[in-house]
Amino acid sequence: MRRRPAVSCARGLSAVGARLPGGLSTSMTAALLGLAVVVGLAAQAPAQEAPRVMSLNVCTDQLVLALADPGRIVSLSVLSDEPDYSYLHGDARVYPKNAGVAEEVFVARPDVVVTGTYSLHNTTQLLRHLGMRVEEFGYTQTLDTIAADIRRMGAILGEQAGAEAMASAFERDLADLTVAAGAPRPTAVIFGQNGVATGAGTLADSVLAAAGFRNLAAERGFSGMTPYPLELLITDRPDVVLLSARIDEAPALADQVTRHPAIAASGAVAATGVVPRGSWSCGGPFTLEAVRALRALRDEILSRTGASG
């Protein structure tokens, strides 16, 4: 008598490839069951939380304020609510402050620390030695680096979508505001306390260029923040001398040279407080406000002289 071939089954399960009621094969059923398990686990798993962030630098402060979920901000630097350094000083006031020292970070235990490459290097090195995640940002030297910094901070904070929207809007608005290369350009000098001017290689210099000005300090070969003698300023005869607004609650002798009557006698437009406070101390989406203000000043000056462009 011929025996029926044995079917390899266990505990009532059909053999691989066998058909179940409804026409499904066991292999297809196994795949569907596996998919159901994966979907179920995904539904039960909580969404990954954005990291708790601590900023040790006034420039990273502002990118954090612009992008982070407020509930994930551990603390900001002590300069974050200073109007001359932080455009977002009003938003910063509600957060705890830190002095940028490692002990504060170690106690707070954030998931990530963001800071500048020019901040306290011993703090950065010590934190990394302790195994903490530290992300450093270079000091913004031109408008061209701002969008990349926004996107990078968004990736660090788990806010990629918001950062992409912000960076794209910044690039679009900057392109709209930027004066064409061949258009008329009044000359300007940024003249600050103690007669210090802002030259090439600075964020302010790139803002001037975008807004349609020639920076005479840069053209003379000065870079960074540099002394610019009043006698030289009078000799160069810029169309505009950009002066910082007087801080009445904190008068200083350092401001005296910026109020010298020789500036007005030179025929230059002495423009005081044109650029919003803090808008070009650091690079961020708010730096467009500095470009916008200077572009309006440039257009006004050209309209007075009958020039266009």
Side-chain angles (χ1 to χ4, degrees), residues 2-25:
R2 180 176 297 177
R3 292 179 179 271
R4 181 172 295 180
V7 178
S8 177
C9 298
R11 299 182 183 270
L13 294 179
S14 300
V16 175
R19 292 285 168 178
L20 297 177
L24 294 176
S25 69

Side-chain angles (χ1 to χ4, degrees), residues 7 30 35 51 63 81 98 100 124 127 150 153 161 175 177-178 183 210 240:
V7 178
L35 179 60
L63 291 177
D81 53 8
N98 67 73
T124 301
L127 292 176
I150 293 172
M153 185 64 82
L177 286 169
T178 298
V240 178

Side-chain angles (χ1 to χ4, degrees), residues 30-54:
L32 291 174
L33 286 172
L35 179 60
V37 170
V38 171
V39 172
L41 290 175
Q44 295 173 18
Q48 185 176 359
E49 284 190 309
R52 295 171 63 253
V53 61
M54 190 168 177

Side-chain angles (χ1 to χ4, degrees), residues 19-164:
R19 292 285 168 178
L20 297 177
L24 294 176
S25 69
T26 54
S27 57
M28 184 179 296
T29 301
L32 291 174
L33 286 172
L35 179 60
V37 170
V38 171
V39 172
L41 290 175
Q44 295 173 18
Q48 185 176 359
E49 284 190 309
R52 295 171 63 253
V53 61
M54 190 168 177
S55 172
L56 311 185
N57 176 270
V58 67
C59 292
T60 53
D61 289 340
Q62 295 179 84
L63 291 177
V64 167
L65 284 167
L67 291 167
D69 180 337
R72 309 305 291 172
I73 300 176
V74 176
S75 72
L76 304 171
S77 80
V78 292
L79 293 178
S80 61
D81 53 8
E82 290 290 335
D84 285 326
Y85 302 109
S86 174
Y87 185 77
L88 300 179
H89 59 275
D91 296 334
R93 288 181 182 141
V94 300
Y95 296 99
K97 304 301 184 294
N98 67 73
V101 295
E103 291 83 351
E104 294 173 297
V105 181
F106 188 74
V107 170
R109 290 287 181 177
D111 299 312
V112 61
V113 175
V114 292
T115 187
T117 54
Y118 46 92
S119 297
L120 297 173
H121 294 292
N122 55 337
T123 295
T124 301
Q125 293 168 3
L126 179 55
L127 292 176
R128 284 180 171 152
H129 180 73
L130 293 171
M132 303 193 78
R133 180 186 176 193
V134 181
E135 298 285 350
E136 291 184 287
F137 284 72
Y139 181 67
T140 300
Q141 298 297 314
T142 69
L143 288 166
D144 294 337
T145 62
I146 292 176
D149 281 346
I150 293 172
R151 291 185 172 102
R152 182 185 170 204
M153 185 64 82
I156 292 169
L157 301 175
E159 299 288 350
Q160 290 91 333
E164 180 57 40

